[in-house]
Amino acid sequence: MQHTAEDRQQQSQDQATLQITGMTCAACAARIEKGLGKLPGVQRAAVNFALETARVEYNGDQLSTEQLIAKVEQLGYHAVFQEEQADRESGKKQEIRHKQLQLLVSAVLSLPLLWAMVSHFSFTSWIYLPAFLMNPWVQLGLATPVQIMIGWQFYVGAYKALRSRSANMDVLVALGTSAAYLYSLFLTVQWAGSAETHHAPDLYYETSAILITLILLGKLFETLAKGRTSEAIKKLIGLQAKTALVLRGGQEVHVPVEAVQPGDIILVKPGEKIPVDGEVMEGTSAVDESMLTGESIPAEKQAGDAVIGATVNKNGSLTIRAARVGKETSLAQMIRIVEEAQGSKAPIQRIADVISGVFVPIVVGLAAAAFLLWYVWLAPGELASALEKAIAVLVIACPCALGLATPTSIMAGSGRAAELGVLFKGGEHLEAMQHVDTIVLDKTGTLTKGKPELTDIRLSSADEAGLLQLIGSAEKPSEHPLAEAIVAGIAKKGIELSAPEQFEAIPGYGIYAVVKGNDVHIGTRRLMHREAISFGEAEADIAQLESEGKTAMLVAVNRQLAGLVAVADAVKETSPNAVRQLQQMGMNVIMMTGDNKRTAEAIGRQVGIRTVLAEVLPEGKAAEVRRLQALGGKVAMVGDGINDAPALATADVGLAMGTGTDIAMEAADITLMRGDLTAIVDAVQMSRSTMANIKQNMFWALAYNTLGIPVAAAGLLAPWVAGAAMALSSVSVVLNALRLQRVKRGAS
C-alpha cells in the first residue's frame, strides 16, 4: 500500500458517485468506464454493474459534475448523483414493481405460444390445443406486443451501444429475437398470400416471445438477489436512532436525530439508543456496543467516558454532550466505508472487463459462422434450421454472469466483513489480504490493552488494607499513567483513599508523600538508593516481575521497605488465541514495539510470538516493514497509534484497530472495529473466502459460455432452452456470492 506522490495528488482530487440506470450487462459498465476515463481531468473511473454506480475521481478545475453526467447520457444511459439510501431503496422498489409488471404481461402473452409449441411433440399429443392458437395471425398478435413493446428496451440499448461503436447484451438479445420474429413474420405474410392457407407454416414466434420472457425473469431474479448482497448497509442504517431527547431552553424536546447539533445536551433513558457520538456528562450505565465492537458484554460508562451513536443504553440514565453528529458519527463513517468498498473494483475484475469488452463481437461472429455452417453444409437450404442454431448461440452467450462474477462477491464479502467488525476500504484491499504471509503486530493497544493495570501487590505488613490505603493516597495526586493504574487498582478493592498532607513528584525516580503523618516513598531502585533505603531482600521479586514484562515499584513507609507493587499493560485475553490461529493459517507473526527488549520478549512469550522486534523508534517502524518486504514477504501491519501510521501506509496492507487513533485508521486499508486480534483472523478468512468465491464465479461463467456456445451451434439446444440457461447462469452467480453472508466468525 505504498503511497507515491502521484497517489497523494490523486487522493486530493474531487470525487463524485453517480447512480446509473440502463445498464444491461458488464459490457455496458465497461463502455461507461471507458467513456468517463477519456474525459480530460478524470483520474480514475470505476463503474460497478452490480451496484449500478460510477465512482469518479477527477480534477474539479478541468471538469464539472454536469459534464460527467452529460457524458453518461451521451453514451445512452441515465445518470444522477447518488441519492440518499432511502431514495435509492424507493427507486429500487419501483424498478422491481416495473419489472414484475413487464414480466406478467410478457408471460401472459407468451404462454399460449408455448402451449402451441409444446403440443407439437409426440409425447404431448394428449394436451388439448385450441385450433385458433395455430393461426399465424393469432400468434403474430400475441408475439408483437412482447417483441415491440416489452422488447423495445433491448432495441434502444442495442442502438445506443452500436451508435458508440460497441456491443452489449442488448445487441445479442435484439439480434436473436428479431431474427426469430421477422422470419416468422415473413412466413406469415407468405402464407397469407398463398392458396393453401389451411396448412400453417412452422413459425418461431414462441422463440422470440419466450426468450424475452425468460430474460425478464432472469433480470428480475438478478435484481432481487443483488438487493440481498447489500443487506449489510441496510442493517447498519437500521441501527441508527430516529430521534433524540435534547435539553433546549431548560425543556426536554424530542427532535429528529438529523437536527442534533454538536454541543447539544442529550438525555438517554434505559433501553434507548444513544443517538450520536458524544461524552457522558452525568450518570452511570452499561452500554451495549456489540454493533460496533462485537463484544457481547456491555461496557460500563460514567462521566468523562465516550459513547457511540446507535449503541444501546442498558440500565441507567445518561446525560451526554453531542460531539460528532450526522455524517461524522462512527456509524455514518462505517456505512461510508462499506459503500465505498462495495462500489470499488478488485484487480481480478480487470480480467472480466477485458473479456466482456470483446465478447459480444466475437459471439456475433460465431453465430454468423454457425448459421452459414448449417445453411451451406450441414442442412443446405434449410433457412429455419440454420437460423435457430444462430439464435441459440446469440442468446446463450450473453456475458451477464461474467460481469456479475466479481462485484456481487465483493458486495457480499465486504458486507459480511462489516457485520464481523472488519471494514475493508476497497475491493483491492480485500484481494490483497489473501496474499499476506507476514503479520506485524504493534504491542501497546494491539496485543495489549493499551492501559496499565495493577497486577501484583507484595507487602510485608500484616495490615495489607492499611498499607494499600497509604500507597493509594500517596499516588492519588500524581498524573503519571503508572500512578493512575495503582490508584484505580486499589480503589477497585473498595479501599477509601484520602488526600496526602504533602506530595512531591520526583521525575525519573517516583514520588514522596506524607499520608496521615507517615512518610511514603514509592518508586524505582534509584529512589531507594537516593534515600538510602535498603531493599536487597526484594531484588529477587523485582527481577522476576521484570522478566514477566511488568514495571515494579518499591514502597517504603517511614524509610523502611514495606514491599512492592507491579504494574503492566496487560495482554488482551483474546491475543494468544488470535496469534495461534494466524500461525495455523500459515502466517509469520512478528511483534514490533518501542519497549525494551526484556518487556517485549515477556509479552511475546505470553502470546506465543517467537519473533520480537524491540526498541524500534516510531520512524524506524516503516523501515522495518520495508526490510521485511525486501526479504520477499507480503506484509500486513497492525497498529493503533499515531506512531504506527507511517508503517501502516508502507505495508502491503495496513490494519488499524478501531479503538485507536483517527490518524492510524486514516492511514490503514482495513479498520478492525473490535478491539481484539481475532478480527485479523476474520479479515484474512473473509479475503480468502471472497477471492475463492470470485474465482468460482468466473470459472463457471466462462465454462458456461465456453461449453454452451458449441452445444448451441451443434443444434443441441433450442433457443428458448438457451435463454433459460442464460438467465439461470446470472442468478446462480449471484446466489453463489450470497453464500459469503454465511461465513462464520473465526472460521479457518
Side-chain angles (χ1 to χ4, degrees):
M1 197 197 82
Q2 295 145 355
H3 295 306
T4 63
E6 182 184 353
D7 290 331
R8 285 189 291 273
Q9 180 198 359
Q10 288 185 6
Q11 288 166 4
S12 67
Q13 301 293 317
D14 294 318
Q15 291 190 1
T17 301
L18 305 178
Q19 197 75 33
I20 297 176
T21 53
M23 291 192 294
T24 55
C25 69
C28 299
R31 187 151 60 91
I32 297 170
E33 195 170 283
K34 189 175 178 182
L36 289 171
K38 286 181 178 178
L39 289 174
V42 171
Q43 302 288 348
R44 183 162 46 227
V47 178
N48 188 309
F49 171 51
L51 270 181
E52 297 179 326
T53 60
R55 196 177 299 280
V56 188
E57 293 180 15
Y58 65 100
N59 188 329
D61 297 331
Q62 294 178 263
L63 197 66
S64 69
T65 50
E66 288 74 19
Q67 287 172 293
L68 294 174
I69 290 175
K71 183 62 180 178
V72 175
E73 300 279 353
Q74 180 196 333
L75 292 169
Y77 304 90
H78 184 59
V80 293
F81 286 115
Q82 193 170 47
E83 309 95 335
E84 292 299 317
Q85 183 70 21
D87 295 333
R88 290 206 297 270
E89 287 301 310
S90 174
K92 187 61 70 179
K93 286 177 182 173
Q94 191 174 344
E95 179 192 353
I96 289 171
R97 283 195 297 270
H98 180 64
K99 283 188 170 155
Q100 288 171 331
L101 179 61
Q102 281 190 324
L103 176 63
L104 178 63
V105 173
S106 185
V108 167
L109 294 171
S110 300
L111 282 173
L113 295 170
L114 179 63
W115 188 4
M117 181 193 74
V118 169
S119 66
H120 286 160
F121 302 126
S122 57
F123 61 86
T124 58
S125 56
W126 55 272
I127 296 177
Y128 171 72
L129 177 66
F132 76 91
L133 284 181
M134 295 305 297
N135 187 300
W137 293 117
V138 172
Q139 293 194 12
L140 175 64
L142 291 169
T144 300
V146 178
Q147 184 70 37
I148 304 301
M149 296 170 63
I150 294 171
W152 186 250
Q153 57 190 300
F154 301 114
Y155 288 110
V156 172
Y159 167 72
K160 289 176 177 176
L162 294 172
R163 187 182 63 183
S164 57
R165 288 176 292 182
S166 67
N168 61 2
M169 186 197 91
D170 292 324
V171 173
L172 298 181
V173 174
L175 278 174
T177 59
S178 296
Y181 177 80
L182 292 174
Y183 178 64
S184 299
L185 179 60
F186 168 75
L187 291 179
T188 300
V189 173
Q190 190 181 57
W191 167 80
S194 69
E196 297 186 21
T197 56
H198 55 281
H199 286 301
D202 291 330
L203 303 174
Y204 294 88
Y205 288 122
E206 79 284 343
T207 298
S208 64
I210 293 166
L211 274 178
I212 289 171
T213 303
L214 287 171
I215 290 166
L216 292 176
L217 178 64
K219 285 292 176 187
L220 176 61
F221 282 158
E222 192 181 293
T223 302
L224 293 170
K226 282 194 295 188
R228 286 180 56 201
T229 60
S230 55
E231 282 296 315
I233 291 178
K234 294 175 191 172
K235 285 179 184 175
L236 288 173
I237 289 169
L239 293 172
Q240 293 174 318
K242 303 296 185 287
T243 61
L245 184 59
V246 181
L247 277 179
R248 286 185 178 163
Q251 299 292 317
E252 297 180 5
V253 184
H254 281 282
V255 300
V257 73
E258 296 82 7
V260 176
Q261 300 295 319
D264 278 349
I265 304 300
I266 302 169
L267 303 178
V268 186
K269 296 176 181 176
E272 291 182 344
K273 285 183 180 178
I274 294 170
V276 296
D277 295 1
E279 181 184 341
V280 177
M281 306 300 294
E282 292 178 21
T284 58
S285 182
V287 175
D288 181 358
E289 297 182 337
S290 58
M291 54 71 61
L292 187 74
T293 64
E295 290 292 336
S296 57
I297 301 172
E300 297 295 328
K301 299 292 180 181
Q302 57 189 10
D305 288 342
V307 288
I308 301 162
T311 55
V312 180
N313 182 28
K314 299 295 284 185
N315 52 22
S317 294
L318 294 175
T319 302
I320 68 169
R321 175 184 283 121
R324 293 190 295 186
V325 302
K327 294 184 178 179
E328 300 302 315
T329 63
S330 299
L331 181 64
Q333 291 180 32
M334 279 179 69
I335 293 168
R336 178 180 56 79
I337 290 171
V338 175
E339 284 183 329
E340 288 181 359
Q342 291 193 336
S344 67
K345 283 192 176 186
I348 195 172
Q349 192 171 339
R350 293 182 194 133
I351 300 169
D353 290 345
V354 170
I355 295 170
S356 297
V358 298
F359 201 73
V360 175
I362 291 172
V363 169
V364 173
L366 290 172
F371 174 81
L372 291 172
L373 186 67
W374 280 89
Y375 189 69
V376 174
W377 186 35
L378 296 176
E382 293 189 19
L383 179 62
S385 177
L387 200 57
E388 190 175 89
K389 278 57 171 186
I391 292 169
V393 170
L394 285 171
V395 172
I396 202 166
C398 289
C400 306
L402 187 63
L404 289 167
T406 302
T408 50
S409 295
I410 293 289
M411 288 166 67
S414 59
R416 177 58 182 150
E419 291 172 6
L420 296 176
V422 179
L423 301 184
F424 288 92
K425 289 188 179 176
E428 64 271 27
H429 310 310
L430 190 56
E431 180 172 345
M433 194 66 200
Q434 69 162 337
H435 300 299
V436 167
D437 53 27
T438 303
I439 302 269
V440 179
L441 303 171
D442 174 52
K443 179 180 79 70
T444 307
T446 302
L447 279 163
T448 66
K449 294 179 180 178
K451 189 175 181 181
E453 293 180 352
L454 180 63
T455 57
D456 294 84
I457 299 169
R458 300 185 183 183
L459 305 176
S460 57
S461 171
D463 182 15
E464 182 177 292
L467 191 49
L468 285 175
Q469 186 179 45
L470 291 179
I471 295 168
S473 298
E475 291 281 18
K476 195 174 180 182
S478 176
E479 295 179 355
H480 195 283
L482 298 183
E484 291 176 359
I486 293 170
V487 172
I490 292 173
K492 277 184 183 176
K493 294 180 177 291
I495 295 172
E496 196 170 327
L497 306 180
S498 60
E501 295 99 78
Q502 188 179 335
F503 174 82
E504 180 189 358
I506 310 169
Y509 290 85
I511 62 116
Y512 164 71
V514 177
V515 182
K516 296 182 178 179
N518 296 288
D519 288 341
V520 181
H521 289 85
I522 305 172
T524 61
R525 294 182 184 89
R526 289 196 297 169
L527 178 65
M528 300 299 136
H529 280 306
R530 195 182 89 160
E531 299 297 324
I533 298 171
S534 173
F535 63 92
E537 64 269 30
E539 194 62 67
D541 283 342
I542 296 171
Q544 182 213 334
L545 292 167
E546 286 181 343
S547 72
E548 295 171 2
K550 299 171 181 175
T551 301
M553 283 164 284
L554 294 156
V555 179
V557 178
N558 298 322
R559 311 192 72 79
Q560 296 295 315
L561 184 70
L564 55 83
V565 291
V567 171
D569 183 4
V571 168
K572 293 175 182 175
E573 293 80 359
T574 54
S575 292
N577 182 50
V579 168
R580 184 171 62 255
Q581 282 187 280
L582 289 169
Q583 289 168 341
Q584 288 171 350
M585 296 171 90
M587 299 288 178
N588 176 25
V589 183
I590 297 171
M591 183 175 77
M592 181 163 62
T593 178
D595 267 4
N596 66 74
K597 191 172 182 181
R598 178 184 283 182
T599 301
E601 288 180 345
I603 297 294
R605 284 193 298 274
Q606 287 183 51
V607 297
I609 294 178
R610 291 180 287 275
T611 307
V612 176
L613 305 175
E615 299 175 16
V616 181
L617 296 173
E619 57 270 24
K621 289 188 175 183
E624 283 292 341
V625 169
R626 281 193 290 270
R627 182 183 66 80
L628 292 167
Q629 289 171 327
L631 294 173
K634 290 290 183 184
V635 181
M637 172 71 194
V638 188
D640 76 326
I642 293 172
N643 61 340
D644 298 319
L648 290 169
T650 303
D652 295 287
V653 182
L655 297 94
M657 306 299 284
T659 50
T661 65
D662 290 342
I663 293 174
M665 285 188 274
E666 187 64 34
D669 304 310
I670 303 169
T671 300
L672 308 174
M673 300 307 293
R674 304 204 309 275
D676 67 75
L677 295 186
T678 54
I680 305 174
V681 179
D682 291 331
V684 174
Q685 178 60 26
M686 283 310 308
S687 173
R688 291 180 177 179
S689 297
T690 302
M691 297 315 298
N693 194 274
I694 288 172
K695 287 169 186 173
Q696 291 163 8
N697 282 348
M698 292 185 71
F699 171 79
W700 287 112
L702 287 169
Y704 161 81
N705 281 314
T706 304
L707 295 172
I709 290 172
V711 169
L716 300 176
L717 282 180
W720 70 273
V721 176
M726 184 271 289
L728 289 172
S729 70
S730 296
V731 176
S732 65
V733 161
V734 178
L735 292 177
N736 186 48
L738 288 173
R739 291 192 307 114
L740 290 168
Q741 295 184 335
R742 297 198 297 272
V743 173
K744 298 285 189 267
R745 171 168 289 166
S748 58

